[in-house]
Amino acid sequence: GVGYILDRNVVARMGQIMRLSGQAPTDFVALAGFGPALVNMSLTGTIGLAYVLLVGGDLNGPVIGAIFCIVGFSAYGKHPRNIVPIMIGVVLGSLVKPWSAADASGLLAALFGTTLAPIAGRFGWHWGLVAGFLHSSAARSVGPVHAGLNLYNNGFAAGIVAAVLTAVIIAVQAKRGEPPRDE
């Protein structure tokens, strides 16, 4: 609605947003305009809400806050193409582990785990799946370090996953002879 009113060329500019990796600094307002950034924010918020409903999760305070976190950072790096692989990776993790994607910690791992979106954006959706899968375990494992505070353990876990996985991806690409992928 409002995004289209502000910019009649919003569809083309959304394509511009979707081609960006999301690696910082990626200010969508500066790069594509305020209207497309608003449309992107609404799309990613809808995806976050749909994810919670599809896996059968509860809409409680922390989950709604995590959705708002996705919406807010969708003006600065997150878009559907780079968050969906992370969420799917968390779901895949829940299929092979003794917990459900609908558990509160599983929901928060998927929603806050979208902080790993630049990995999917830069290296491809398949690496985004791997990042989400690894994050699903890491977020549950580092909880005692932060007394179970989910925002902190998800951020810490994502940092660990990003540091290790990025090094692995670059090593794999170098071994295959692939050139480094820049923004």
Side-chain angles (χ1 to χ4, degrees):
V2 175
Y4 182 76
I5 291 168
L6 294 173
D7 185 348
R8 300 280 185 206
N9 199 18
V10 74
V11 175
R13 292 183 189 270
M14 277 302 299
Q16 179 184 358
I17 286 175
M18 297 288 244
R19 287 188 295 276
L20 297 169
S21 73
Q23 190 174 345
T26 309
D27 184 351
F28 292 155
V29 175
L31 295 170
F34 188 60
L38 284 178
V39 170
N40 186 55
M41 292 167 75
S42 68
L43 283 173
T44 57
T46 301
I47 289 168
L49 176 62
Y51 174 85
V52 173
L53 297 176
L54 283 171
V55 299
D58 293 328
L59 286 172
N60 55 32
V63 169
I64 292 170
I67 292 170
F68 284 156
C69 185
I70 291 172
V71 171
F73 281 101
S74 293
Y76 199 76
K78 294 182 183 186
H79 55 69
R81 204 177 114 242
N82 67 11
I83 66 168
V84 170
I86 306 298
M87 293 174 159
I88 293 171
V90 172
V91 169
L92 292 174
S94 74
L95 296 176
V96 298
K97 297 181 179 125
W99 47 269
S100 167
D103 292 347
S105 58
L107 289 172
L108 294 176
L111 297 170
F112 284 130
T114 60
T115 192
L116 294 164
I119 290 177
R122 179 173 177 192
F123 298 110
W125 64 268
H126 54 289
W127 287 111
L129 292 176
V130 173
F133 185 91
L134 294 174
H135 180 74
S136 68
S137 292
R140 290 179 158 280
S141 300
V142 300
V145 175
H146 297 98
L149 296 172
N150 285 313
L151 175 60
Y152 295 113
N153 72 313
N154 271 285
F156 184 65
I160 292 170
V161 169
V164 172
L165 187 57
T166 301
V168 169
I169 294 168
I170 291 170
V172 167
Q173 288 178 338
K175 180 119 174 117
R176 290 180 181 166
E178 297 175 23
R181 291 178 65 182
D182 293 329
E183 177 75 5

